[in-house]
Amino acid sequence: MVSADVVVVGDGVLGRSIAYALASADRGVRVVLCGRSGPGASPAAGAMLGVLGEVTPASLDKPHNALRLQMAIEAAGRWPSWRDAVRRHAAAAAPASDGYGKGTFMLLNAVSAPLDERAFAAVRTAGQKHGLPVEDIDPTDIPAYRPLDNDRALRALHLPEEGFLDARRWLATLDAALDALPNATRTGNARLTTTARGYAIHTAEAVRTARMAVIAAGAWTSSLISELAPDIHLLPVLSVEGTALTIGAPTPLPAVLRTPNRAYACGLHTVPQADGAWYVGASAAPALGPGSAPTAGGLRFLLDAALGQLHHHLATSAVHQVHHGNRPIGLDGHPLLGPTARPGLWVATGTHRDGLHTSPLIAQELAKAILGERPSSWLAPWRPDRILINDWSVEDAVREAAVHHHALTAESRMRPPLTGSWPDALEQAYRHHMNEVYASMPEGYVLPPDLAPLGYEHQEALAALARSYVDRSHKGDASVG
């Protein structure tokens, strides 16, 4: 039986980053990283290191969304030194290029809705508030942008400080850095159990014990915790399935092209890859648990949007790879970061679209806390056993969810009959539908608009899940967020 100090469970960017932060911070700390390969978020990520690019009106007027924006800004400031340190440890074993660069062009195009205009205004306001550059640009001056005429951008913004990289190359760089640290060990797939003194991971070769464990298993966190310690009260972690493509480049792409966040998801985007290819993403389908494969409908929608809104010559480009991943998200729409009620057990998940970008911040702050430094103010709001965060009123959430659905009809080119009040009736129908969905949720839980489809696709199961958590919280099992 081999002993260690900390075992990190999760093979995505958070798990690897936390293991690296722990092992590099203190060479006397023995760290074991284990995790199975699967459709996690990290290998399928587009890796926009975005701050302003992710901003919506909620980033300004909802307290916890505003905290997430501050975390994104802090993480952006840490990326240069974090990247340099990881690449320095990886040395010659690192990929020659990780595709790192800066620059994003945000498009307000003809197949948008008022939702996009609100996001444009919010981006500008956030830039002014936080001292980040936001520049107007003529859409015809955007490089590598060739939309169909009826999908062309009406306005565009240039965000020169927004970063990006190739997610798959970055994961390989983290692997090389971990391999270079003598106190870090990777085991591949393993089974985690509890012991009288802590935790144990079981592989075919050995059993390793550890005093502490960090669960960074993404959308699989809830099922893993329920097997490991079923008595723990942990905010449920849901999944948002996403599909993306890597496509041969019709022309060199020097920066990210994207639309604002829309339709309860990230906007349409393409990200330069280290080998010159284009990463095109991404669909979003909220689910109660992770899924294993893309759908034909998701691929069709993504390709149609990319060919029309980004570059019509993509029609003749070779498809190099189809990516499918599961973004983890907490039941209340926010991450789970920090210690649990069980001694020595920590959780890092639920980051939704922010995981890769905020990974330096989360890894460094969590490592400091695990190694005995004072608790991090960055992690404090996201206790894994907190009372549900409800920044939205039911009325506001219904209105926002209906607006997102209406925006999706615009992007899908749905054309209601131009007779009577049909266009207005469609929006009213969405709002009526959302009212019914939100009324079915238990008191104390406001479904985040990002997860609205779950409310009608899995209404009973979602309501039961929320009710169970709310009931346990009222019994005093949860911490104040």
Side-chain angles (χ1 to χ4, degrees):
M1 186 173 291
V2 183
S3 64
D5 295 297
V6 186
V7 56
V8 180
V9 181
D11 203 30
V13 70
L14 277 187
R16 296 183 210 197
S17 298
I18 292 165
Y20 169 80
L22 286 165
S24 61
D26 187 340
R27 296 298 179 92
V29 174
R30 296 158 299 175
V31 180
V32 177
L33 174 65
C34 63
R36 63 180 183 181
S37 59
S42 300
M48 294 181 288
L49 307 180
V51 177
L52 295 179
E54 293 294 314
V55 164
T56 67
S59 306
L60 304 175
D61 60 24
K62 304 301 178 191
H64 288 85
N65 290 77
L67 287 174
R68 301 276 292 276
L69 174 57
Q70 292 173 15
M71 287 182 68
I73 293 170
E74 174 69 18
R78 297 190 187 196
W79 257 103
S81 59
W82 171 259
R83 176 174 171 266
D84 287 346
V86 173
R87 289 187 64 82
R88 185 168 60 252
H89 276 113
S97 171
D98 56 15
Y100 181 78
K102 284 189 174 183
T104 290
F105 295 98
M106 181 173 282
L107 312 168
L108 178 64
N109 58 35
V111 287
S112 62
L115 180 72
D116 287 27
E117 296 177 14
R118 289 169 48 204
F120 256 55
V123 167
R124 195 179 300 279
T125 299
Q128 293 170 347
K129 179 178 179 180
H130 296 286
L132 300 173
V134 179
E135 304 165 356
D136 289 301
I137 185 171
D138 188 325
T140 61
D141 292 334
I142 297 175
Y145 175 56
R146 297 292 181 273
L148 295 176
D149 285 346
N150 54 344
D151 290 355
R152 70 189 185 281
L154 310 173
R155 288 191 287 138
L157 297 175
H158 181 213
L159 310 175
E161 292 302 312
E162 300 284 276
F164 59 86
L165 51 68
D166 185 321
R168 286 139 295 280
R169 294 286 183 92
W170 181 244
L171 292 175
T173 304
L174 282 168
D175 286 345
L178 285 166
D179 290 343
L181 291 168
N183 56 326
T185 303
R186 299 189 67 193
T187 68
N189 194 18
R191 181 171 60 90
L192 181 69
T193 62
T194 59
T195 69
R197 295 185 178 181
Y199 305 89
I201 52 171
H202 307 256
T203 66
E205 294 77 23
V207 176
R208 291 176 169 86
T209 61
R211 294 182 297 107
M212 291 181 285
V214 182
I215 309 300
W220 288 265
T221 297
S222 288
S223 59
L224 194 157
I225 291 286
S226 66
E227 294 175 4
L228 178 71
D231 57 320
I232 286 183
H233 184 51
L234 187 83
L235 184 75
V237 180
L238 308 175
S239 174
V240 180
E241 292 186 68
T243 297
L245 303 162
T246 301
I247 299 180
T251 188
L253 179 66
V256 170
L257 306 181
R258 65 164 299 162
T259 61
N261 288 344
R262 59 162 70 142
Y264 48 80
C266 55
L268 174 69
H269 56 272
T270 183
V271 183
Q273 299 297 278
D275 62 358
W278 288 27
Y279 173 98
V280 178
S283 65
L288 293 176
S292 59
T295 64
L299 283 170
R300 176 194 174 189
F301 182 80
L302 181 61
L303 282 169
D304 182 63
L307 297 178
Q309 299 178 43
L310 298 177
H311 204 299
H312 54 80
H313 288 171
L314 286 170
T316 57
S317 296
V319 175
H320 293 176
Q321 187 175 358
V322 176
H323 308 280
H324 186 74
N326 291 272
R327 309 176 187 96
I329 184 170
L331 181 66
D332 59 9
H334 296 291
L336 293 72
L337 305 170
T340 69
R342 193 181 198 281
L345 184 63
W346 300 69
V347 170
T349 188
T351 49
H352 198 197
R353 296 188 300 268
D354 304 339
L356 201 148
H357 173 58
T358 57
S359 58
L361 171 63
I362 292 171
Q364 290 172 335
E365 295 298 310
L366 202 66
K368 287 192 296 184
I370 290 170
L371 295 176
E373 297 187 25
R374 63 183 181 182
S376 169
S377 60
W378 291 108
L379 305 183
W382 318 116
R383 283 279 308 227
D385 56 356
R386 63 177 176 265
I387 292 173
L388 288 168
I389 294 169
N390 281 327
D391 286 346
W392 293 88
S393 69
V394 171
E395 295 76 16
D396 284 347
V398 165
R399 188 181 305 110
E400 187 73 5
V403 166
H404 277 281
H405 280 68
H406 198 234
L408 183 58
T409 66
E411 191 172 14
S412 302
R413 298 180 178 84
M414 184 174 176
R415 295 171 62 87
L418 298 178
T419 56
S421 59
W422 264 104
D424 293 336
L426 182 62
E427 184 173 359
Q428 292 166 7
Y430 280 131
R431 188 168 298 188
H432 177 74
H433 185 37
M434 290 296 107
N435 271 317
E436 291 182 339
V437 167
Y438 278 78
S440 71
M441 295 298 114
E443 185 177 354
Y445 177 58
V446 179
L447 179 65
D450 278 2
L451 297 177
L454 273 181
Y456 50 82
E457 292 174 355
H458 303 281
Q459 186 167 324
E460 291 185 7
L462 178 63
L465 185 67
R467 186 175 298 108
S468 174
Y469 190 80
V470 169
D471 288 347
R472 289 194 65 178
S473 298
H474 287 166
K475 292 177 182 177
D477 292 339
S479 300
V480 176

